[in-house]
Structure formats: structure tokens, C-alpha cells
Amino acid sequence: MVPENAPSQSPSHWEQWHEGYEDPGSPLSLRLQLVQAGVRAALNGAAAGPIRVISMCAGQGRDVIDEVAGHPRAADVRALLVERDPALVRFARDRAAAAGVSAGVRVMDGDASMPRSYGGGGGDGFLPADLVLACGVFGNISDGDIAALIARLPSFCAPGASVIWTRHRRAPDLTPAIRSWFEEAGFEEMSFEAPVPHVLSVGRHQLVGAPPEPSRFDSDTPFFTFTGDGGLPA
């Protein structure tokens, strides 16, 4: 769950960012548990047939990989995890292989901010998605980019698709606006977790309006620009 399009930093920076996962009592581990619960709910409720999953800024991929492994619908999952940091890509690929889900979970070394990562440049077959994860994204891009990305998410989605997202609630808390933007884009809120005393939050929305015709994305125009500092949680 690391934002893409980040300023140049050593791979060890993002590896250290993920060390919180090794502490089961950390806010990052709590956030992961909440995201995984949302992934599990989405898989449980998916219609018969293939389940297409997109994870933007996938990081180590624990949220998708760990839930797909052992799930009764694992054989139906076709997941694309987009991550740019080489160390995290290696970690996710190794984790998927160890979990026995490499056949259905593809870890792509790419920039999640760029439309070409999802179609026309290697993402073919994963859109429209039944589940989209935007975890570690909204805390590291501008308010305007968040609103614009949410408005475009229906074009990623199959009818009834779920979107799982995370965002900190540090002042000024943007989560009320984010939840409103999802509603305006045709999504219904299924859950919103904001455990006290932490500032993290995890939302899950379901597309209830008719999705638009699949977009012909301009492959050279990014969906967002990274502006964050990598702080936890995002």
C-alpha cells in the first residue's frame, strides 16, 4: 500500500515503511486487518464466474494475496497488483508464490498513477473490475486528485463492484468529503471504519449506478500526482 509516482528514494525507505506490518499491535496492522475484512466481504459476495481485482499502489500485496489464499473462490480470482518499488514487487511476487496464488494474482512492476498500467499496456483482461483497492493512495495525493479519481472509478468497475479505500483523519479530516464524492459517483457506502484513538480509516463502497462505457484512457495523462511524505497511516 505505497503511493506510486513518489520522489526518488532508496528502496529501503519503503521497506521500512512496511515494517509496521510485523507488529500485530501497530496502526498499520490494524488497517490491514480492516482492509482484508473488506476484501473478504467482496469475495464472499461476488457473483459466480471470474472475479477481477485491481489494487492501485499495492505495496507488499498482503491485503489481496493473504485473503485470496485459502478462500473458496480463489480459483475465480484474476488480480492485478500494480506497484513500482522493486523491493515491494519482489516481496509481493514471492508472497503470492508461497501462498500458491501466482496463477491468479499478477504483480505488475508499474506506475499506478498511469492509465496504461490498467489497459493497453499490460492490464488487459482485468477491467472492468469487480473489486478495486485504493489503499495508501488518498493520503498522499491532493484533494482535487482524490475527487477526480473517485469520479473516474466507475469506469474501472463492473456492475455492483466494490471499492476499498484508506485515508487518515488528521485535521482537516477529508473523509466526510470523500464519502460524499463516492455517493455522487454512484456508489453506496457499505462500511466505514474509523477506530479510536487511531487516525486511520477504511471505507468500502459498492457501485449501485450503471457503470459508464469503458473509458479509452489517455495513457500519457496520470490519474494523480504523488504529494505525500510517506507518513503512516495514509
Side-chain angles (χ1 to χ4, degrees), residues 2-3 6-7 9-18 85 88 226 230:
V2 163
Q9 303 186 52
S10 67
S12 62
H13 171 83
W14 294 116
E15 291 177 273
Q16 291 172 7
W17 193 95
H18 282 73
D85 182 274
L88 301 181
F226 178 87

Side-chain angles (χ1 to χ4, degrees), residues 45-165:
I51 306 172
R52 295 178 295 271
V53 180
I54 293 289
S55 181
M56 311 175 77
C57 307
Q60 293 179 339
R62 299 180 189 231
D63 43 15
V64 173
I65 294 167
D66 294 3
E67 284 303 314
V68 170
H71 194 278
R73 299 290 306 276
D76 294 328
V77 173
R78 285 178 44 80
L80 176 66
L81 280 56
V82 182
E83 173 56 52
R84 194 176 67 171
D85 182 274
L88 301 181
V89 169
R90 288 193 299 271
F91 184 102
R93 287 174 177 168
D94 289 347
R95 195 174 189 90
V101 297
S102 292
V105 178
R106 177 185 176 190
V107 182
M108 179 181 180
D109 182 358
D111 185 346
S113 74
M114 297 304 295
R116 60 175 172 265
S117 295
Y118 305 100
D124 307 76
F126 295 93
L127 295 178
D130 302 292
L131 172 61
V132 178
L133 283 82
C135 299
V137 179
F138 292 170
N140 293 285
I141 64 178
S142 71
D143 296 0
D145 277 357
I146 296 171
L149 179 58
I150 291 172
R152 299 189 70 175
L153 281 175
S155 63
F156 278 70
C157 293
S162 295
V163 175
I164 300 172
W165 56 275

Side-chain angles (χ1 to χ4, degrees), residues 113-117 119 152 215-223:
S113 74
M114 297 304 295
R116 60 175 172 265
S117 295
R152 299 189 70 175
S215 293
R216 299 296 184 263
F217 296 132
D218 178 353
S219 62
D220 295 320
T221 302
F223 290 128

